[in-house]
Amino acid sequence: MSQAEINVYVREHPDVYEQIAEIVTEDRKRTQLAYYQLANPMARRVHETLAREVAIVGGNRSSKPDSMMAELAIRMTGHVPMSLQATYPREKLAALPIRARVVCNSLTDTLEPVIKPKLRWDQWNGVGDPDEGRGHWGWIPQHVLKGGTWEKAYSEKYRTLHANVDNYWVGADGQTCSVRGTSTCQFLSYDQDLSAFSGSSMHWVGHDELPPSDIYRENRLRTLDVRGRIYTAFTPPDEIGMSRADVSWFYEEIYEAGRKGVPGFETIILHTERNSILDAKAIAELMATLTDEQREVRLHGNFLHLSGVIYSLFTQGDAVWCFRCQKRVVPINGTCVTCKGDDIETFTHVVEPHPIPTNWPIVMVIDPHPRKKDAIGWFAVTPSDDIVMVAEAEADGTASDVRRVIDDVEDRHRLLVRKRLMDPNIATETNDKLGRGWTIRKAYDDAGIRCDLANDEINAGIQNVNELLKPDRATRHPRLRVFSTCQRFIKGMRTWSWDEWTRTGDKEPKEKVRDKAKDFPDLVRYLANDKPSYRKYALGAQIVRGPVRERHVPLMTGARG
């Protein structure tokens, strides 16, 4: 019976209220999976995604392992909770029964006190007692356990759980289909030898906390022939070097692929404050004891290994800015945890592409390289002097080859360029073998790419860009926004970092930037150093085409610089 049917029956038979309540309470305990409700609404994609490699990244107590273990219970038993009946992809149940694997940090410190209680039907998980508290019983229903009891279904020797499948559904052709069998799930830990992770194919693998890269890859091999799925649920470490595994490999290979929408990957972000089981007052008290960096990690699952990035304020997803504190914050109940004020605003730097008005001047910035591809970006300047990056490109070969790439981008996007800027360091490099007086700038001039030399001041440029990244009090959004199609630029902004940045230890952070991932972020630094303004480019700027400088013509003519 559904909850609505139970309510109707009780209203019609009030004399059986206590009896029904007792039956429902016991039924919820023995078949908690049927009554499953999302503790964190952000976790819905854990169950709905069809990706083969899923990263569930979030703050502490954000329901990461809980959601993952509920997904395991569905996959092992074939029983879809009432709350997911309308949205759960049934094709994920086509392989029933399944072979599954759960890997955690420790068999004694994690498996016994944390993982197993989330699966055992007779174990309570949550805040308070089962009658009045907030939480749930273990997800594997009693009636599917092989032998009818946990003790019979779970092998202590082999650390393997057996759950029966007795599932049926009506297909698109109206025929009733049924599956019977026994699913198995083995439990391993990261401190075991790599050879323990070989063996038969796996339809489902779950990592509780970040695995070492060699174990992840071994588990990935186990899923290939049956097209199995891998889930990884963890909070990034808030101390450099505190993780069992290198954080960077997972960030680059899995997390970023999921954020970019690479087929087969999905990244799901969970915030601690969205967990309905937790008390908001307790979360606020916890936040008050953490630094800003720790809040981002412990509550939102941000990666601290990226804290050395130069433009740490740049965000691809939603963040919250406090105008009173003038910094990014983690709010609780709509207020800043630092100043307790409500003058806050959600912001992001990455936006979906939208039409650019023809009266917005365009500035092209290029960072040429003789031994690798040139980095090129196009920026629109709004009447309020905001900047929108609308396009990017990479090009190699001769100056003429680069010119063809530039022309293609500007033709496709119908960009009327008012000014072109070039990295001054590379632009003035000479090569007497190619001719007396030859420079890269002259080669580009001859090809029709006439550029002014940019100001390469690093420290002032970084400060100028950081000012553009801050949300403006008047407009409530940052002065720099980037089209989501500019993926090279976005990656560079999120990863360009200071050299040998250290969070703790004897060494002070160096005031020297790394060369890696520097090319595309340099484009906006050159532009910021040029003091961009609408009036400057729309009314007074010069554009260049070919070897002769020309004053720009009015926008309505459609001429391109």
Side-chain angles (χ1 to χ4, degrees):
M1 297 176 67
S2 67
Q3 186 63 53
E5 291 172 329
I6 293 174
N7 292 341
V8 171
Y9 186 85
V10 169
R11 283 196 295 269
E12 294 176 350
H13 305 82
D15 55 310
V16 299
Y17 174 79
E18 292 186 3
Q19 182 182 359
I20 291 292
E22 185 177 332
I23 292 174
V24 171
T25 299
E26 187 64 19
D27 188 57
R28 283 182 177 273
K29 178 179 179 180
R30 296 179 183 274
T31 60
Q32 182 71 81
L33 184 62
Y35 298 91
Y36 172 66
Q37 295 289 335
L38 293 167
N40 189 328
M42 301 176 76
R44 179 168 291 276
R45 287 299 300 169
V46 173
H47 308 295
E48 295 178 351
T49 180
L50 289 172
R52 290 189 57 202
E53 298 189 50
V54 181
I56 310 171
V57 184
N60 295 116
R61 304 293 303 281
S62 59
S63 84
K64 304 180 305 297
D66 224 22
S67 302
M68 186 172 71
M69 289 300 101
E71 175 66 13
L72 170 62
I74 297 172
R75 293 297 309 278
M76 286 187 69
T77 65
H79 291 282
V80 179
M82 290 184 286
S83 63
L84 300 177
Q85 284 288 333
T87 59
Y88 193 87
R90 296 310 194 271
E91 53 263 50
K92 292 206 291 185
L93 305 179
L96 285 169
I98 68 168
R99 291 181 298 276
R101 172 182 289 173
V102 173
V103 194
C104 58
N105 277 336
S106 168
L107 295 175
T108 55
D109 297 335
T110 308
L111 175 60
E112 295 299 328
V114 179
I115 301 299
K116 285 170 65 173
K118 295 184 183 301
L119 299 174
R120 290 193 57 157
W121 68 272
D122 56 353
Q123 295 290 312
W124 171 253
N125 299 260
V127 179
D129 59 60
D131 293 329
E132 299 180 359
R134 299 186 300 274
H136 64 86
W137 296 96
W139 297 125
I140 302 292
Q142 181 190 18
H143 71 274
V144 305
L145 293 171
K146 188 176 181 180
T149 66
W150 180 272
E151 289 71 22
K152 292 179 180 179
Y154 182 77
S155 170
E156 293 287 351
K157 180 179 179 180
Y158 298 105
R159 296 187 181 89
T160 302
L161 175 65
H162 300 81
N164 293 324
V165 176
D166 185 4
N167 192 40
Y168 73 92
W169 67 94
V170 178
D173 57 358
Q175 296 294 317
T176 299
C177 307
S178 65
V179 174
R180 287 180 174 81
T182 301
S183 295
T184 60
C185 181
Q186 62 177 185
F187 299 87
L188 301 172
S189 66
Y190 299 134
D191 51 14
Q192 291 181 258
D193 189 83
L194 188 62
S195 61
F197 296 87
S198 60
S200 60
S201 302
M202 292 289 161
H203 300 91
W204 192 94
V205 176
H207 299 115
D208 179 56
E209 300 303 338
L210 186 65
S213 58
D214 56 351
I215 289 179
Y216 188 96
R217 294 186 180 103
E218 188 65 30
N219 282 332
R220 178 188 278 165
L221 291 174
R222 305 278 73 77
T223 66
L224 290 180
D225 58 340
V226 293
R227 296 191 60 78
R229 291 181 166 85
I230 304 177
Y231 287 70
T232 305
F234 72 103
T235 297
D238 67 353
E239 294 289 341
I240 299 298
M242 289 295 288
S243 175
R244 279 181 169 272
D246 176 24
V247 178
S248 300
W249 78 267
F250 188 90
Y251 180 86
E252 294 292 338
E253 293 184 26
I254 315 299
Y255 179 90
E256 279 290 270
R259 290 293 296 267
K260 294 176 182 177
V262 175
F265 295 83
E266 180 157 354
T267 295
I268 301 166
I269 306 296
L270 305 182
H271 293 175
T272 298
E273 63 267 27
R274 298 293 300 276
N275 188 346
S276 59
I277 294 178
L278 302 181
D279 181 67
K281 181 180 179 181
I283 297 176
E285 291 174 351
L286 170 65
M287 291 177 63
T289 66
L290 302 176
T291 65
D292 289 339
E293 286 181 345
Q294 289 172 332
R295 289 185 192 118
E296 290 294 327
V297 175
R298 293 289 186 174
L299 276 77
H300 289 173
N302 286 351
F303 283 77
L304 190 58
H305 87 285
L306 297 178
S307 293
V309 297
I310 292 168
Y311 298 124
S312 58
L313 182 57
F314 183 85
T315 177
Q316 186 174 0
D318 287 341
V320 177
W321 181 262
C322 177
F323 288 96
R324 181 176 179 182
C325 297
Q326 283 294 296
K327 66 179 182 179
R328 184 165 60 186
V329 299
V330 179
I332 286 291
N333 294 331
T335 60
C336 171
V337 71
T338 302
C339 68
K340 312 302 181 185
D342 60 0
D343 191 11
I344 60 177
E345 190 71 43
T346 300
F347 73 98
T348 183
H349 296 102
V350 179
V351 298
E352 291 304 310
H354 56 78
I356 295 296
T358 56
N359 65 320
W360 289 9
I362 304 294
V363 181
M364 189 210 80
V365 188
I366 182 170
D367 190 2
H369 293 279
R371 292 173 295 277
K372 60 181 180 178
K373 292 182 178 181
D374 295 0
I376 314 167
W378 287 263
F379 302 84
V381 182
T382 74
S384 59
D385 294 340
D386 289 351
I387 296 172
V388 182
M389 186 175 189
V390 298
E392 66 173 15
E394 280 187 321
D396 57 4
T398 66
S400 296
D401 295 329
V402 175
R403 169 66 190 266
R404 282 190 287 272
V405 172
I406 290 174
D407 284 348
D408 177 65
V409 172
E410 294 177 1
D411 287 341
R412 281 189 290 112
H413 296 283
R414 304 184 70 179
L415 300 177
L416 179 62
V417 176
R418 292 297 176 184
K419 187 170 187 176
R420 302 187 192 275
L421 293 172
M422 177 180 285
D423 174 8
N425 303 304
I426 301 296
T428 55
E429 284 191 0
T430 62
N431 189 332
D432 289 338
K433 292 181 179 180
L434 297 177
R436 180 173 296 180
W438 184 96
T439 63
I440 290 181
R441 185 190 188 191
K442 185 176 185 302
Y444 280 71
D445 279 354
D446 293 342
I449 309 174
R450 185 81 177 182
C451 300
D452 291 334
L453 297 183
N455 179 347
D456 188 38
E457 173 60 41
I458 291 182
N459 292 331
I462 291 173
Q463 182 176 348
N464 290 336
V465 173
N466 279 324
E467 288 300 315
L468 294 175
L469 295 176
K470 296 178 181 179
D472 183 82
R473 185 180 292 274
T475 63
R476 313 296 283 188
H477 59 64
R479 293 190 54 216
L480 172 66
R481 298 185 295 283
V482 182
F483 281 4
S484 61
T485 49
C486 301
Q487 286 296 317
R488 300 181 190 92
F489 179 83
I490 293 170
K491 181 178 181 180
M493 292 292 285
R494 297 183 65 192
T495 57
W496 184 35
S497 60
W498 296 103
D499 188 26
E500 294 185 13
W501 181 84
T502 55
R503 186 169 180 272
T504 58
D506 298 330
K507 291 184 178 181
E508 291 293 325
K510 290 187 175 182
E511 297 299 324
K512 181 181 178 181
V513 298
R514 293 183 185 271
D515 288 331
K516 184 178 180 181
K518 178 174 179 287
D519 297 342
F520 278 93
D522 271 351
L523 302 180
V524 72
R525 180 167 61 86
Y526 296 147
L527 179 60
N529 282 346
D530 199 51
K531 304 298 181 183
S533 73
Y534 177 85
R535 182 178 182 83
K536 175 180 180 179
Y537 296 138
L539 302 179
Q542 291 178 325
I543 63 171
V544 288
R545 184 186 179 97
V548 181
R549 286 186 179 273
E550 301 173 350
R551 281 285 178 183
H552 74 264
V553 294
L555 284 168
M556 66 284 294
T557 66
R560 202 186 66 221

